[in-house]
Amino acid sequence: MQTIEEILKGKEGKVKIKGWLYHKRSSGGVVFFIVRDGTGFIQCTLRKEVFGDKLKEIEKTPVESVVEIEGEAKKDERSPFGYEVRATDFKIITKAQEGYPIAKKKHGPAFLLDHRHLTIRERKYFLIFQIRDAVLRYAREWFIQNGFKEFHSPIFVSGACEGGSTLFELKYFDRKAYLTQSWQLYAEAGIASLGKIYTIAPSFRAEKSRTRRHLTEYWHLEAEMPFCDLECLMKTIERLISYMTQKVAKEKAKELKELGRDPKDLLKVKSPFPRITYSQAIEILQKEGVQIKWGEDLGADEERVLASKFDVPFFVMYYPKGIKAFYHKVKRDEPNVTLSVDLLAPEGYGEIVGAGEREDDYEILLKRIKEEGLNPKDYEWYLDLRRYGSVQHSGFGLGVERYIMWICKLEHIRDAIPFPRLINRVYP
Ligand code: ATP
Ligand code: MG
């Protein structure tokens, strides 16, 4: 037996494949089946000369049936995937029911999301999920090559990391707990054990508004480093993002093109990335006529305006204290701003990474916790990290789906993940 991928890589001659019947059509005594086996899609031709009267029955095979086809694989420029299998033998392994819900006719997004367990069989998702697999692999590769170790934090937590408004609260036996918004606070403990660390894990945010770029459950690629200042942090982010982006542009060029993304756009992504400060961002926005004052947060609309001015990712540095979480280090010579930095993707996509140096001074951190109206008792263990061997340290979080959305040029973040969790959706 061969995989379709092996055939598409140039295996000609006698082959046997097993897969799902994706599409069918017939014309002039030839039945065209497109078969999908998880490694690729290929066109199979079944001819009257070979199958005789049986072809009429074969033609009735319901789509999504699991089939086995033997035949001759040949390069064929006319066939949609460049190769075709001229069938000599055909078998149904499992016959699908008639009436497959995802027919060729156009369905609305709600219908498709209700049938997501089937919609993901579409070729578009095959392409996106391959890229998802690839970019996470490249990220791991980069972390390993650069001396990072994988470190895990709990999903059930007792305190907020990114502010109470997006916390998911749950009953944890006889008390309250929350779903984690980030591994960060635990990573700050982890660096005193393992040094440079990273994770790729889900984070949860009870996002209360519908946007194109927020999920309630998303995959978060995070890293934390001791003995690392803001400059070291930005270098790390740009090197990682350049590595992942260059590699996907080269190795998944065909898939990207088919999704409508020109890989050449991505080959431009090289370190160093452009940098602007938050204050400069406000000036740019005001010049563009956007109603925003210094001290206000950049939302999706503001980021879209900024991000349409760049064709590569760019850093926005030094956000005001008032709009960043308590753990961000205050800039010592400018106490109303933080040593924070976001990375914004170009073409209007906006924030893909949130990052910063962490407050390492016990007294300032305690004051910030109180200022934010948080209970220092909930952060006792976190304060211990400053009591016992506080170290200059920095870290970042990349939204995996935000990154994929930009790389694949998607309209909505929901298509970057197999089963999106949104404000109005936990099924299927
Ligand atoms: P935003 O302002 O877009 O809500 P944020 O400032 O809340 O983002 P951070 O707390 O810095 O984001 O989280 C780190 C990264 O996680 C973000 O840069 C983004 O890529 C990703 N991210 C945050 N919230 C979500 C979400 N709801 N869905 C998908 N990705 C997210
Ligand atoms: Mg947010």
Side-chain angles (χ1 to χ4, degrees):
M1 202 175 90
Q2 279 72 36
T3 63
I4 292 174
E5 189 180 24
E6 284 166 340
I7 300 172
L8 298 181
K9 278 189 177 151
K11 159 105 186 84
E12 293 189 271
K14 212 171 147 38
V15 294
K16 178 156 106 184
I17 58 171
K18 288 183 190 176
W20 292 263
L21 176 55
Y22 183 58
H23 279 159
K24 56 175 184 175
R25 70 184 173 89
S26 52
S27 103
V30 188
V31 172
F32 297 90
F33 279 175
I34 290 179
V35 175
R36 180 188 82 234
D37 74 347
T39 73
F41 291 63
I42 200 163
Q43 174 170 286
C44 304
T45 48
L46 297 91
R47 287 166 201 280
K48 186 105 199 277
E49 303 99 84
V50 180
F51 292 94
D53 289 344
K54 274 198 281 178
L55 196 62
K56 280 244 157 347
E57 272 309 300
I58 292 176
E59 205 183 331
K60 290 186 195 144
T61 310
V63 290
E64 294 302 322
S65 294
V66 179
V67 299
E68 181 181 304
I69 293 178
E70 275 187 64
E72 199 69 27
K74 270 204 94 59
K75 202 177 166 92
D76 187 338
E77 301 301 345
R78 292 164 307 168
S79 106
F81 307 104
Y83 279 81
E84 126 178 334
V85 175
R86 299 183 182 163
T88 52
D89 222 342
F90 175 82
K91 243 190 274 174
I92 296 180
I93 299 174
T94 357
K95 190 166 173 179
Q97 282 186 25
E98 290 290 352
Y100 183 59
I102 316 290
K104 258 191 165 172
K105 62 177 188 298
K106 279 261 179 215
H107 297 290
F111 179 92
L112 291 173
L113 285 165
D114 285 341
H115 294 84
R116 188 71 165 188
H117 50 293
L118 303 176
T119 311
I120 55 170
R121 300 178 180 194
E122 294 291 308
R123 181 156 171 93
K124 172 178 159 189
Y125 295 101
F126 170 74
L127 299 171
I128 297 171
F129 300 156
Q130 274 191 84
I131 288 170
R132 187 180 167 107
D133 165 69
V135 294
L136 291 178
R137 186 147 27 86
Y138 307 151
R140 285 207 165 84
E141 251 167 48
W142 189 89
F143 280 123
I144 293 165
Q145 285 165 17
N146 286 278
F148 286 76
K149 308 218 171 64
E150 190 163 347
F151 181 81
H152 298 128
S153 70
I155 299 287
F156 290 134
V157 297
S158 54
C161 177
E162 290 306 318
S165 70
T166 63
L167 260 188
F168 272 112
E169 188 181 304
L170 55 94
K171 199 166 161 294
Y172 191 78
F173 303 106
D174 55 356
R175 74 191 100 143
K176 273 187 204 163
Y178 308 94
L179 295 179
T180 188
Q181 295 168 306
S182 162
W183 82 320
Q184 181 198 317
L185 304 188
Y186 295 92
E188 290 181 61
I191 55 170
S193 168
L194 262 191
K196 296 197 290 185
I197 51 178
Y198 76 98
T199 198
I200 304 175
S203 280
F204 303 87
R205 308 271 173 113
E207 304 287 356
K208 280 157 196 120
S209 54
R210 279 191 217 191
T211 76
R212 286 168 185 274
R213 59 176 206 168
H214 288 94
L215 296 161
T216 55
E217 175 180 332
Y218 70 98
W219 285 74
H220 210 167
L221 183 156
E222 298 182 84
E224 197 72 27
M225 296 161 283
F227 311 105
C228 181
D229 63 6
L230 193 67
E231 187 58 37
C232 147
L233 173 66
M234 290 164 75
K235 290 230 163 75
T236 306
I237 296 168
E238 63 193 9
R239 285 177 56 218
L240 169 70
I241 300 287
S242 305
Y243 181 86
M244 292 164 68
T245 309
Q246 290 283 326
K247 197 152 181 182
V248 75
K250 287 173 193 147
E251 299 200 353
K252 296 283 166 203
K254 261 202 222 151
E255 289 79 358
L256 289 166
K257 268 190 208 145
E258 201 179 326
L259 286 166
R261 157 66 73 198
D262 186 344
K264 279 201 218 95
D265 302 342
L266 302 179
L267 290 171
K268 284 188 265 186
V269 179
K270 283 188 190 144
S271 46
F273 294 167
R275 301 176 176 195
I276 58 172
T277 63
Y278 166 86
S279 299
Q280 287 170 326
I282 296 295
E283 277 169 34
I284 296 172
L285 289 168
Q286 287 173 344
K287 272 200 201 119
E288 291 286 323
V290 178
Q291 293 293 317
I292 190 165
K293 288 198 292 286
W294 197 96
E296 291 173 355
D297 205 358
L298 308 178
D301 292 338
E302 290 78 29
E303 287 185 9
R304 198 171 308 120
V305 174
L306 283 178
S308 59
K309 302 205 164 297
F310 291 85
D311 63 354
V312 292
F314 61 101
F315 288 115
V316 181
M317 306 165 66
Y318 305 133
Y319 284 80
K321 198 169 79 173
I323 54 170
K324 284 288 174 189
F326 68 94
Y327 54 74
H328 282 98
K329 188 166 176 173
V330 174
K331 195 161 179 280
R332 297 301 190 248
D333 57 351
E334 224 180 316
N336 57 346
V337 306
T338 54
L339 296 176
S340 54
V341 63
D342 282 358
L343 185 72
L344 275 59
E347 304 162 4
Y349 278 99
E351 179 177 343
I352 53 172
V353 175
E357 227 183 287
R358 320 306 191 187
E359 185 54 71
D360 46 21
D361 181 272
Y362 175 82
E363 295 300 338
I364 300 177
L365 182 63
L366 184 62
K367 201 169 130 239
R368 290 285 292 126
I369 289 176
K370 288 180 183 160
E371 270 173 14
E372 296 293 314
L374 301 166
N375 185 353
K377 266 217 177 112
D378 292 337
Y379 296 92
E380 266 310 300
W381 70 264
Y382 187 67
L383 287 160
D384 267 352
L385 307 177
R386 276 64 178 173
R387 290 187 187 105
Y388 308 110
S390 191
V391 66
Q392 186 174 36
H393 65 291
S394 302
F396 67 88
L398 166 80
V400 169
E401 291 78 17
R402 293 260 181 107
Y403 177 72
I404 293 168
M405 188 182 169
W406 161 55
I407 290 289
C408 296
K409 222 172 169 172
L410 305 178
E411 295 255 307
H412 199 295
I413 196 167
R414 64 181 174 224
D415 282 338
I417 188 165
F419 294 95
R421 292 297 174 245
L422 302 161
I423 186 167
N424 57 349
R425 181 165 298 278
V426 280
Y427 174 92

